[in-house]
Amino acid sequence: MKLILAVALAIGCGMPLGAQQPRMDKETQAKIDDTIAAYAAAWGEPDVAKRRELLEKAWATDGVYIDPTAHVEGREALVQHISGFLKSLPGHRIEATSRTDVHHNQLRFSWRLLKPDGSVLTEGMDFGALDSAGRLTRIVGFFGPFPALAR
Amino acid sequence: MKLILAVALAIGCGMPLGAQQPRMDKETQAKIDDTIAAYAAAWGEPDVAKRRELLEKAWATDGVYIDPTAHVEGREALVQHISGFLKSLPGHRIEATSRTDVHHNQLRFSWRLLKPDGSVLTEGMDFGALDSAGRLTRIVGFFGPFPALAR
């Protein structure tokens, strides 16, 4: 019934359906923004102790990280995985390029990977899930835009 | 190490990182394309028996479907959920607007919801997971584009 209402509103307003979703309250949005900011900062933090502290805030103990090149289980394994990432790409950092959208503890945001000079190395998108404490239990990353349809 | 190689290739080729991912073999891609085609067709199939047949092909028995307005557990529940969707939006259908990208049994694709006259009601994106038999165990949908950053 909620979908019917959302669609009716969307038709009525001539707006994309997404614009008609109930907005999160400010406190919830702020908490999620903080979590994603800490998570993204962890990817650019060369100090292992500081990185662990960021992930203790943002990442569940048994959270799973998956991207096209990696499958990493657990917070401490992610702390170490990022060490390898930063060894290969020193001074690089991840920056969100969208706000984080959440429903049913499921989330999405887009990002870009910046070189030390601030230019963009690549872009991508992350989809994830949160536990009841608001920590990430899963991130699945994809690189680049959605692949074009085969015609 | 694979990320290092992918990034090195990306830098070397001046290409987005996504373009450097190893391509799926044709058979795997064709199987996934079939699965997503059957799944999308199920959303436009008014005949319950035919819809169930499509989802028996594409959806795991205990697969979970989540979008901003719904949380549906199990294949038969999804068969019934789509009945409600089509009752509210008769003649509407979902069409993929990207190819499906898969790694580690995790996938993404974008789509649009078409009115009976073929015009676009809304667009969105789905993220999901496959079981070892290639059936969907999870779809998490989001409506509209990524939300703009608050500036």
Side-chain angles (χ1 to χ4, degrees):
Chain A
M1 284 304 293
K2 279 185 290 179
L3 178 57
I4 300 170
L5 181 62
V7 169
L9 281 167
I11 297 167
C13 304
M15 293 284 282
L17 204 53
Q20 301 305 321
Q21 294 316 303
R23 303 311 306 164
M24 281 180 285
D25 65 82
K26 279 189 183 179
E27 195 183 338
T28 305
Q29 179 76 56
K31 187 166 160 47
I32 287 160
D33 289 348
D34 278 357
T35 300
I36 299 302
Y39 169 69
W43 280 90
E45 178 51 66
D47 184 296
V48 174
K50 286 184 190 166
R51 188 191 313 141
R52 187 174 292 120
E53 202 173 308
L54 288 164
L55 291 177
E56 280 166 358
K57 179 178 178 180
W59 198 261
T61 313
D62 57 353
V64 176
Y65 173 82
I66 303 174
D67 74 23
T69 69
H71 182 164
V72 181
E73 304 211 359
R75 184 198 290 147
E76 187 55 30
L78 183 57
V79 171
Q80 301 305 326
H81 177 75
I82 295 172
S83 291
F85 168 79
L86 287 174
K87 195 172 174 185
S88 67
L89 294 172
H92 286 61
R93 64 187 193 279
I94 304 282
E95 181 181 78
T97 52
S98 80
R99 209 135 188 212
T100 301
D101 207 4
V102 184
H103 64 78
H104 301 89
N105 281 338
Q106 307 289 321
L107 62 89
R108 64 170 173 174
F109 65 96
S110 59
W111 51 264
R112 55 190 183 179
L113 173 58
L114 299 175
K115 299 183 203 177
D117 67 5
S119 64
V120 178
L121 177 57
T122 191
E123 298 184 300
M125 52 186 83
D126 277 10
F127 308 94
L130 298 165
D131 64 15
S132 56
R135 290 195 183 90
L136 290 157
T137 57
R138 181 180 67 237
I139 283 283
V140 178
F142 292 89
F143 301 158
F146 285 98
L149 279 177
R151 296 279 184 196
Chain B
M1 285 302 294
K2 278 185 289 179
L3 178 58
I4 300 170
L5 181 61
V7 169
L9 280 167
I11 297 167
C13 303
M15 293 283 284
L17 206 54
Q20 302 305 321
Q21 294 315 303
R23 302 311 307 163
M24 281 180 287
D25 65 82
K26 280 189 182 179
E27 196 182 338
T28 306
Q29 179 76 57
K31 188 167 159 49
I32 287 160
D33 290 347
D34 278 358
T35 300
I36 299 301
Y39 169 69
W43 280 89
E45 178 52 65
D47 183 296
V48 174
K50 286 184 190 167
R51 188 191 313 142
R52 187 175 292 118
E53 201 174 309
L54 288 164
L55 290 178
E56 280 167 358
K57 180 177 176 178
W59 197 262
T61 313
D62 57 353
V64 177
Y65 173 82
I66 303 175
D67 74 24
T69 69
H71 181 163
V72 180
E73 304 213 357
R75 183 197 292 147
E76 187 55 30
L78 183 57
V79 170
Q80 301 304 325
H81 177 75
I82 295 173
S83 291
F85 168 78
L86 287 174
K87 195 171 173 184
S88 67
L89 294 172
H92 286 61
R93 64 187 193 279
I94 304 282
E95 181 180 78
T97 52
S98 79
R99 211 139 186 208
T100 301
D101 208 5
V102 184
H103 65 78
H104 302 89
N105 281 338
Q106 307 289 321
L107 62 89
R108 64 170 173 175
F109 65 96
S110 59
W111 51 264
R112 55 190 183 179
L113 173 58
L114 299 176
K115 299 183 203 177
D117 67 5
S119 64
V120 177
L121 176 57
T122 191
E123 298 183 299
M125 52 185 85
D126 277 9
F127 307 94
L130 298 165
D131 64 16
S132 56
R135 290 194 184 90
L136 291 157
T137 56
R138 180 180 69 238
I139 283 284
V140 178
F142 292 89
F143 301 158
F146 285 97
L149 278 177
R151 297 280 184 194

